[in-house]
Amino acid sequence: MQALVWVVTVLLVAALTHISGREGGAVSGGLGKQSARQQLCNGACAIALRVIHLGVDIHRAFQEWVQSSLSQAGLDVHELLDGNDSEAISERRQRMADFLTSLPQRPAHLAVILPETREDIVNDVEVLCASGLLAKVPRLTIYTRDEAINDSVEAISGRLRKSKMVARAFGSTPRIDLNSGNGCVEQLGIDTDRISDTEPVGQRADICISLWSRGNSYPALSALARELADQTRRGLLEAKQIDEALVTRRLADPSGYGHPDLVILVDDLACLPEFPPWQLQNAEMVQVGTSSATGSLGGAASGALVRYAKVKRRWGK
């Protein structure tokens, strides 16, 4: 912001100097004086513009250098989480966690869209869960167009229960709400004796994870339309009561969080493969590339969080 004010101020001074020089040259009677003063003003404007261009170039180069450094640091995320618990690794892991949690803005709801070509969805969920816990992101949605992710719910649950990577990211055993596409919520690592029934699901956990597929998109809209039509037919609902507010409430996130703030498109995805469109109204979208190995997925997710931290939110506009 300060840099922007500085640039605008220099531009205004240069413009006023240029205008003043032209007016002074027109009023002055001596041709020699007109030329000298005009040339002086033109030269001052040219120097000011060159300084501004140089400043912008330096700022851009610095940003690129910082982004490159952060991206390289992000590649270490998998190593830090999957490595041993030596003092050096633990210290580096804590520094990475401190850096991510100190970002000026972090998403309260992160959504990751995986291509159908990903080979091991269980590992992907484990890595993304650990990366979310490391950055203290409370809400994570993982989406694949096919049903492979929902077919793997039991394997994913078992992996997260005993994952050392997830425990290292959080510093202890985290409380996880795992929500499958059919709406079933499984609580992992939670002492149910200490849970208040009045506390919303998802907001009592350290991270709430939803596993979505195509069934959570347009088929969900069709199911809602049939439900509303049935309730209207049975006299439980009047047609005039069906408005935007009602549909919004019915489609609201059961965990209590809002729509995604950041959507990450992984690898070669160039579109949103039937991702629920109503979930995108406030989202910033970032495309990241990874190798087939899940290790780079954690680094890509951390790099996307860094990029998001520098974005001026558009709020869907």
Side-chain angles (χ1 to χ4, degrees), residues 221-232 234 237 250:
L221 283 179
S222 301
L224 176 58
R226 289 193 298 269
E227 180 183 350
L228 294 177
D230 180 63
Q231 291 180 357
T232 303
R234 294 163 55 192
L237 188 68
R250 295 293 185 92

Side-chain angles (χ1 to χ4, degrees), residues 59-200:
H59 179 66
R60 185 178 300 163
F62 176 74
Q63 280 192 324
E64 291 177 354
W65 174 79
V66 171
Q67 182 64 48
S68 175
S69 300
L70 293 175
S71 298
Q72 291 176 3
L75 295 176
D76 294 331
V77 171
H78 185 76
E79 175 189 348
L80 296 179
L81 294 176
D82 203 32
N84 56 39
D85 286 323
S86 67
E87 184 176 349
I89 290 292
S90 298
E91 183 179 350
R92 288 178 58 198
R93 186 188 304 138
Q94 187 59 50
R95 285 203 304 266
M96 176 64 74
D98 292 341
F99 165 72
L100 291 174
T101 54
S102 68
L103 293 173
Q105 63 177 359
R106 286 174 291 127
H109 185 174
L110 169 64
V112 181
I113 302 180
L114 298 172
E116 298 177 57
T117 55
R118 298 293 294 186
E119 297 178 357
D120 194 338
I121 195 69
V122 177
N123 282 341
D124 286 342
V125 173
E126 180 185 21
V127 170
L128 290 171
C129 176
S131 299
L133 286 167
L134 192 69
K136 300 294 187 291
V137 174
R139 178 77 170 91
L140 173 64
T141 294
I142 304 173
Y143 175 90
T144 60
R145 185 181 181 279
D146 58 17
E147 295 294 332
I149 194 166
N150 285 316
D151 293 339
S152 305
V153 170
E154 186 175 346
I156 290 171
S157 174
R159 176 70 65 85
L160 294 181
R161 285 182 185 277
K162 60 183 181 181
S163 173
K164 292 183 179 180
M165 180 186 296
V166 169
R168 290 187 183 110
F170 187 68
S172 60
T173 301
R175 299 172 301 168
I176 301 173
D177 277 352
L178 183 63
N179 185 358
S180 60
N182 57 15
C184 179
V185 177
E186 186 174 359
Q187 298 170 343
L188 312 178
I190 297 179
D191 184 355
T192 54
D193 293 335
R194 293 182 298 153
I195 294 177
S196 169
D197 292 336
T198 61
E199 197 172 11

Side-chain angles (χ1 to χ4, degrees), residues 208-230:
C208 179
I209 303 176
S210 286
L211 307 177
W212 286 357
S213 64
R214 183 182 179 276
N216 297 95
S217 183
Y218 295 106
L221 283 179
S222 301
L224 176 58
R226 289 193 298 269
E227 180 183 350
L228 294 177
D230 180 63

